[in-house]
Amino acid sequence: MIEGNGIDRRLEGKLGFDQIRAMISDRCSTEYAVGRVAGETFVTDPKIIFHRLALTDEMRLIMMFEESFPTNGYIDCLYFLEPLAEEGWTIDLGSLGKLRTMVETVRKLTNFFMSIKDGIYPNLKKMSAPVMSFPEVQRRIDAILDKYGDVKDTASDNLLQIRRSLKSKEGAISKRANAILAQAKMDGIVDEDASLSVRDGKLLIPVAASGKRKIAGFVYDTSATGKTAFVEPAEIVELENEIIELKAEEMQEIQRILAAFSDFVRPYVPDLIHSAEYVGEMDFLVAKAQVALDFKAGMPIISEGGEMNLRKARHPLLEKALVREKREIVPVTVKLNPTKHILLISGPNAGGKSVCLKTTGLLQYMFQWGMLVPTSESSELPVFDRVMVSIGDDQSIENDLSTYSSFLEDMKSMLKEADSKTLVLIDEFGSGTEPTAGGSIAEAILAELDKRGVYGVITTHYTNLKLYAAGPDTGVVNGAMQFDAAKIQPLFKLDIGMPGWSFAFELARKMGLPENIVKDAENRAGEEFVGMERNLRKIVRNRRALDERLQKIKNTDKTLDNITERYQKELEGIKKTKKEILDQAKKEAEEIVLGANKTVENTIRAIKESQADKEKTSGARKELQDFLGALQAKKENDKKNHDDYIDRKLKQLSERKRKADARKGSVKRKMEAEDKDKFRPGPLKVGEKVRVKDNGMVGEVTRVSNKAVTVAIGNITSQMALDKVERISSNEFKAARNESRRPSSSVDNSGLRERRLRFSPELDVRGERVSDALDIVIHYIDDAIMLGVGSVRIIHGKGTGALRDELQKYLRTIPGVTAVRDEHIQFGGSGVTVVEFE
């Protein structure tokens, strides 16, 4: 059934494209992108198809080669930007943080494409060209929010004054209460060993019941015996009321700041909405590109002449399943053209006929939807107006449809609409009824589809259809799924041009059926049938042997070419070396001859001048012999130097090879590490969805610092280390949230009771570093809120006060915490923080 948006859910389910949609949707970070995946339709305009494919292919290349491209920070902002365009609408604090993340992402995206040279990623660059960045909006947000997403004290002068007053009043309460207690002791109103008492978060002074009117204030409680009254001094009440008023003023001022920002940003809202849609589109393309990389998919050529050339096509869903089983898929090649436009595949059951058919249909549908396909990038695909299928059993009790009736309904629809711009996919053509009648009807339908020029892939066992395809004047071509008759197992290879056979008799013998039964079956089938099958097997064997021989010849030719090329290079090297050696030898010979001539001349002159004096003659002869000895030594030394040179060259070549291998190993390890990396690496951004690794709970990022991240999980906000969470997609977040809404079991309740019994209302973090103490307090406060504890005490010591300040700053950001204050002086003062909950 085709829905209002043009999506045929039955067709997509039959082809398996519904699973491709789900895979892409699961990679999306934004609801906008999820909606784009759900709403994208099969199209018939070649220009639209090319544009969709080009955008996805460019994004695939970016994912592969561009490390500077931002792959995170894609969050939804449309839901609060659209109403913000109306007067009187004010942005909330959480949305302001998300807007900052989106504006930053837009800036990074536009800067990336501006830095790219013209001609590289042209379609994405053109798509990004009209998108605006918003430096002034970003500056205003940064003036309001700190890096953790809290409103800065300096967001306005009034807010700074209010917060200074709050800090002063909160510090004054403890000091004033202790002063009143000390005065009461001096006046003898309270005992010397009396100390401040805390009840329901209020500072109270214990006074004898008879003297309760002596301290100005209100009797808040009495002891069980009635002898002691607990009085809240009037001055403290006034200070607490002032703090409540200041907090109300603080919230009003923050609301005023947000309202002022909303008025400022309202003129930018149309452009911000366009930018938010741009971020969603980029998220959609990133998801498509990542799935394409998983499939090892590429961009095919759009055929203008009606040729379909699927080269080394792989069914992506089947390949994924086989990888899990550590098996490899066998690619198929399918070729159709206006002359031979229907492929009729036959062969044994479970031999891969249906896989070929579904691979063709799914890849064609992916192509016209705008998704890259797992084939060789030299593949060509035409554009069809429609794809029609008859796959599987659509029998229906409600509609009184049998298997064959369902098949006839499909054929009726095909014959009504199919033309030369239609691709039909029919599995087990004509089966489900009496073979003779079924075969005749199937042949008549095939002849009609052939006459109309319909493109198709059809699987069958009927001999009459194979004979029709073998005819000289048809547009139908036979295809066979190869089968190893010796091992009785399929090879899953498509052989176009030959009809397939069932190999039923061989399979029967292999399975151990009595020979007399098999012989009787062959006799009943008739000599013509058996002979045809025997001849077909012989042709297949001969063709396979020929293919193997041709492949062997090709491999031999390739080896010979490589050897010839290597010898040619070596011969050129030898010739060059020979010429260099001869030139060097010639030069040295000239030098030797020149030196020898001078030596002989000197020797002769010395003999003549000495007039054959024996001593002089002997000396001259000795000099000549020394010279000849030096020549011999030089010759041997030159030989040694030459040998050393060769050895050095060999060592250099060996070292180069070792370094090259090391580089290859490094690249491989890097690629493997990148493959293992989780979806969309990079720093977390406000508004992104994450999962807590320890317990599987999911939430939304509200604050991010260098070492910690604050996550909103339902109504609870929790801070934790960055390595404790992992980024998840929008679909994973929704699925986990729906799962968490299911009612808890009694086992959970018993576990909760056990945790409540073991929970201590006091935590000691003295001696811990700030980061470690903060991590401990985060988990402790989460437990306290979950268990419904009224208040807790955190002992951190006084020291420099840095640990106290950090803890109290964090505690004041937690929803559900009503008060964060120092303990009373006699109970530890500023060395202990008291936390009270709703």
Side-chain angles (χ1 to χ4, degrees):
M1 181 182 74
I2 297 178
E3 298 180 356
N5 57 1
I7 298 175
D8 188 339
R9 295 295 180 191
R10 173 185 174 274
L11 173 62
E12 291 192 359
K14 293 284 187 182
L15 295 176
F17 186 76
D18 55 340
Q19 298 179 58
I20 304 295
R21 271 191 199 270
M23 288 179 183
I24 299 171
S25 182
D26 287 342
R27 290 299 187 98
C28 296
S29 297
T30 63
E31 288 296 320
Y32 178 94
V34 170
R36 286 284 287 110
V37 176
E40 195 82 310
T41 60
F42 176 95
V43 293
T44 59
D45 187 335
K47 292 181 180 178
I48 296 175
I49 294 170
F50 176 80
H51 183 65
R52 290 182 182 180
L53 291 173
L55 287 173
T56 307
D57 193 50
E58 288 176 12
M59 186 60 76
R60 177 182 69 93
L61 295 174
I62 287 175
M63 293 288 100
M64 291 173 65
F65 302 115
E66 304 291 349
E67 294 182 0
S68 62
F69 182 81
T71 55
N72 51 58
Y74 299 87
I75 58 173
D76 289 297
C77 290
L78 285 173
Y79 73 92
F80 66 79
L81 282 175
E82 289 172 346
L84 190 60
E86 300 176 12
E87 290 291 335
W89 191 276
T90 301
I91 193 170
D92 60 67
L93 199 56
S95 297
L96 185 62
K98 291 183 179 181
L99 182 60
R100 176 164 67 176
T101 299
M102 188 208 79
V103 169
E104 177 65 14
T105 302
V106 170
R107 184 188 66 80
K108 289 179 179 178
L109 287 169
T110 53
N111 285 352
F112 172 82
F113 286 110
M114 285 175 64
S115 67
I116 296 297
K117 294 180 180 179
D118 292 340
I120 302 175
Y121 316 131
N123 293 282
L124 286 172
K125 193 175 175 72
K126 183 179 179 181
M127 177 180 168
S128 302
V131 178
M132 296 175 59
S133 57
F134 304 91
E136 183 59 23
V137 173
Q138 190 163 6
R139 188 191 67 77
R140 289 288 290 265
I141 296 174
D142 289 340
I144 296 171
L145 300 181
D146 62 16
K147 63 181 180 179
Y148 304 114
D150 294 328
V151 178
K152 292 180 177 179
D153 293 349
T154 56
S156 75
D157 294 339
N158 194 26
L159 183 62
L160 179 61
Q161 186 62 40
I162 290 170
R163 287 185 172 173
R164 283 177 177 173
S165 299
L166 261 174
K167 191 173 183 180
S168 174
K169 296 293 182 186
E170 287 171 349
I173 285 180
S174 179
K175 293 178 182 178
R176 189 59 193 147
N178 282 297
I180 294 170
L181 178 63
Q183 185 63 46
K185 287 180 181 180
M186 291 176 61
D187 296 341
I189 299 172
V190 299
D191 296 335
E192 285 296 326
D193 59 350
S195 60
L196 291 173
S197 180
V198 180
R199 299 207 174 183
D200 298 330
K202 295 183 178 295
L203 285 173
L204 306 175
I205 296 176
V207 185
S210 59
K212 61 185 179 183
R213 301 297 178 191
K214 295 180 181 180
I215 296 179
F218 305 93
V219 177
Y220 189 79
D221 199 2
T222 58
S223 64
T225 62
K227 294 181 180 180
T228 304
F230 296 94
V231 178
E232 184 179 14
E235 293 181 47
I236 302 300
V237 173
E238 290 175 7
L239 285 171
E240 287 182 343
N241 289 338
E242 289 176 15
I243 287 174
I244 292 171
E245 290 175 2
L246 285 170
K247 286 187 175 180
E249 289 179 22
E250 179 188 28
M251 293 307 299
Q252 289 174 2
E253 180 61 18
I254 289 173
Q255 194 62 27
R256 188 197 65 77
I257 292 169
L258 293 175
F261 175 81
S262 301
D263 292 337
F264 156 75
V265 85
R266 192 161 285 113
Y268 294 96
V269 166
D271 293 325
L272 285 168
I273 288 174
H274 180 254
S275 293
E277 291 171 346
Y278 167 75
V279 169
E281 285 293 329
M282 282 292 172
D283 184 30
F284 171 56
L285 291 172
V286 167
K288 286 176 68 179
Q290 288 178 330
V291 173
L293 286 172
D294 287 348
F295 291 164
K296 299 180 180 63
M299 181 174 172
I301 300 166
I302 299 178
S303 172
E304 297 180 357
E307 288 86 5
M308 174 189 281
N309 289 322
L310 276 174
R311 297 184 174 93
K312 297 181 179 179
R314 309 180 317 277
H315 194 291
L317 303 178
L318 175 61
E319 184 173 30
K320 203 173 182 69
L322 291 175
V323 166
R324 287 195 293 268
E325 299 173 9
K326 297 183 178 179
R327 296 164 57 195
E328 290 188 3
I329 195 169
V330 179
V332 297
T333 296
V334 176
K335 294 184 179 181
L336 298 175
N337 55 55
T339 304
K340 293 292 182 181
H341 47 88
I342 297 177
L343 174 62
L344 186 75
I345 306 176
S346 51
N349 288 323
K353 300 189 301 295
S354 297
V355 171
C356 285
L357 178 144
K358 290 183 178 180
T359 299
T360 304
L362 176 58
L363 268 54
Q364 181 68 41
Y365 197 94
M366 288 171 64
F367 163 72
Q368 291 194 230
W369 188 81
M371 185 62 188
L372 305 180
V373 294
T375 66
S376 165
E377 292 194 3
S378 61
S379 294
E380 290 182 85
L381 288 171
V383 177
F384 294 107
D385 288 344
R386 63 192 67 81
V387 176
M388 307 184 77
V389 302
S390 178
I391 301 173
D393 187 357
D394 282 338
Q395 61 178 315
S396 170
I397 296 175
E398 292 82 0
N399 297 329
D400 194 26
L401 283 177
S402 66
T403 300
Y404 192 66
S405 299
S406 171
F407 163 75
L408 292 176
E409 280 289 333
D410 290 340
M411 295 305 102
K412 178 182 174 183
S413 299
M414 287 183 184
L415 292 172
K416 183 178 180 181
E417 297 186 50
D419 56 19
S420 61
K421 298 289 287 181
T422 303
L423 174 66
V424 299
L425 306 165
I426 307 173
D427 196 21
E428 299 296 344
F429 194 25
S431 63
T433 189
E434 194 277 321
T436 303
S440 299
I441 292 173
E443 186 174 350
I445 294 171
L446 179 61
E448 179 61 24
L449 295 175
D450 181 18
K451 186 172 75 173
R452 295 185 187 184
V454 176
Y455 283 69
V457 178
I458 300 172
T459 69
T460 189
H461 288 289
Y462 286 133
T463 302
N464 63 313
L465 299 184
K466 301 175 198 176
L467 294 173
Y468 178 89
D473 300 321
T474 70
V476 185
V477 61
N478 273 307
M481 298 310 300
Q482 293 183 16
F483 193 84
D484 191 329
K487 297 180 180 178
I488 311 299
Q489 64 182 27
L491 299 175
F492 304 109
K493 294 180 180 179
L494 177 63
D495 193 356
I496 295 179
M498 294 292 297
W501 217 257
S502 66
F503 296 91
F505 299 128
E506 286 77 4
L507 184 59
R509 287 190 174 94
K510 183 76 174 180
M511 297 303 294
L513 212 61
E515 182 62 25
N516 62 316
I517 298 294
V518 178
K519 283 287 186 183
D520 186 33
E522 287 179 337
N523 292 333
R524 291 174 183 274
E527 181 59 34
E528 183 180 353
F529 178 86
V530 175
M532 187 184 299
E533 191 173 54
R534 189 183 299 117
N535 290 332
L536 181 61
R537 288 199 305 274
K538 185 176 180 181
I539 292 170
V540 169
R541 279 197 304 271
N542 291 340
R543 182 164 181 171
R544 189 176 302 141
L546 180 60
D547 289 342
E548 290 174 356
R549 185 171 294 179
L550 287 172
Q551 187 61 44
K552 188 175 181 180
I553 292 170
K554 287 180 181 178
N555 292 338
T556 303
D557 288 346
K558 187 175 181 180
T559 303
L560 287 172
D561 289 341
N562 291 337
I563 293 171
T564 303
E565 184 180 357
R566 187 173 73 247
Y567 283 171
Q568 186 66 32
K569 288 180 179 178
E570 290 179 1
L571 182 60
E572 289 174 359
I574 290 169
K575 287 180 179 179
K576 183 178 179 181
T577 304
K578 179 182 176 182
K579 183 176 183 303
E580 290 173 353
I581 291 171
L582 290 173
D583 290 344
Q584 183 66 23
K586 185 177 179 182
K587 183 178 178 182
E588 290 177 356
E590 290 173 353
E591 291 175 354
I592 289 169
V593 170
L594 183 61
N597 288 336
K598 288 181 180 179
T599 303
V600 171
E601 288 172 1
N602 292 335
T603 303
I604 292 170
R605 190 185 312 111
I607 292 172
K608 284 181 178 180
E609 289 175 353
S610 62
Q611 297 179 356
D613 184 270
K614 281 188 176 182
E615 291 182 2
K616 295 280 182 110
T617 302
S618 297
R621 283 177 178 163
K622 186 174 183 303
E623 286 182 13
L624 185 58
Q625 288 173 354
D626 289 344
F627 176 72
L628 293 174
L631 285 178
Q632 182 64 28
K634 184 177 184 302
K635 181 178 179 182
E636 291 177 356
N637 187 55
D638 288 346
K639 181 179 184 300
K640 182 176 182 301
N641 290 340
H642 183 67
D643 291 343
D644 290 344
Y645 172 77
I646 292 173
D647 289 340
R648 285 198 306 274
K649 283 297 182 184
L650 287 173
K651 286 180 181 178
Q652 288 176 359
L653 290 172
S654 178
E655 182 65 18
R656 286 177 188 169
K657 185 177 185 301
R658 186 188 65 77
K659 289 181 178 179
D661 291 342
R663 280 196 299 271
K664 288 180 182 177
S666 175
V667 171
K668 183 179 179 183
R669 286 192 296 274
K670 182 179 178 183
M671 291 176 68
E672 289 173 350
E674 290 174 351
D675 288 342
K676 292 177 182 176
D677 201 5
K678 185 68 177 160
F679 154 66
R680 299 194 187 186
L684 289 170
K685 302 287 186 182
V686 173
E688 290 188 312
K689 310 298 188 297
V690 294
R691 179 189 292 110
V692 181
K693 294 178 181 178
D694 291 342
N695 54 28
M697 298 178 73
V698 299
E700 185 177 289
V701 175
T702 58
R703 294 174 60 195
V704 181
S705 65
N706 293 335
K707 296 182 179 179
V709 59
T710 302
V711 182
I713 303 172
N715 295 323
I716 298 174
T717 301
S718 180
Q719 188 176 22
M720 57 196 73
L722 289 168
D723 60 355
K724 299 292 184 183
V725 299
E726 60 183 353
R727 183 183 283 108
I728 59 174
S729 68
S730 180
N731 280 2
E732 288 177 296
F733 174 76
K734 286 191 293 183
R737 187 174 56 186
N738 293 336
E739 181 69 23
S740 67
R741 289 173 179 167
R742 296 181 182 176
S744 302
S745 65
S746 59
V747 177
D748 295 330
N749 294 331
S750 63
L752 198 62
R753 284 196 296 272
E754 185 180 347
R755 289 179 69 180
R756 187 177 287 111
L757 290 172
R758 289 191 284 108
F759 182 80
S760 171
E762 190 170 276
L763 175 67
D764 191 342
V765 293
R766 285 176 293 186
E768 300 285 352
R769 290 183 298 179
V770 172
S771 59
D772 296 335
L774 196 59
D775 191 48
I776 294 168
V777 170
I778 287 168
H779 291 88
Y780 180 70
I781 294 299
D782 287 348
D783 286 345
I785 292 173
M786 183 178 65
L787 297 173
V789 177
S791 65
V792 295
R793 299 172 79 247
I794 301 174
I795 304 170
H796 42 68
K798 295 182 180 179
T800 62
L803 179 56
R804 167 189 173 275
D805 293 343
E806 286 299 318
L807 289 178
Q808 290 194 0
K809 181 180 179 182
Y810 161 68
L811 292 167
R812 289 190 178 97
T813 66
I814 302 175
V817 173
T818 57
V820 178
R821 56 180 174 76
D822 291 339
E823 180 59 281
H824 302 300
I825 191 68
Q826 64 270 36
F827 299 133
S830 60
V832 180
T833 294
V834 178
V835 186
E836 297 173 5
F837 306 100
E838 293 178 350

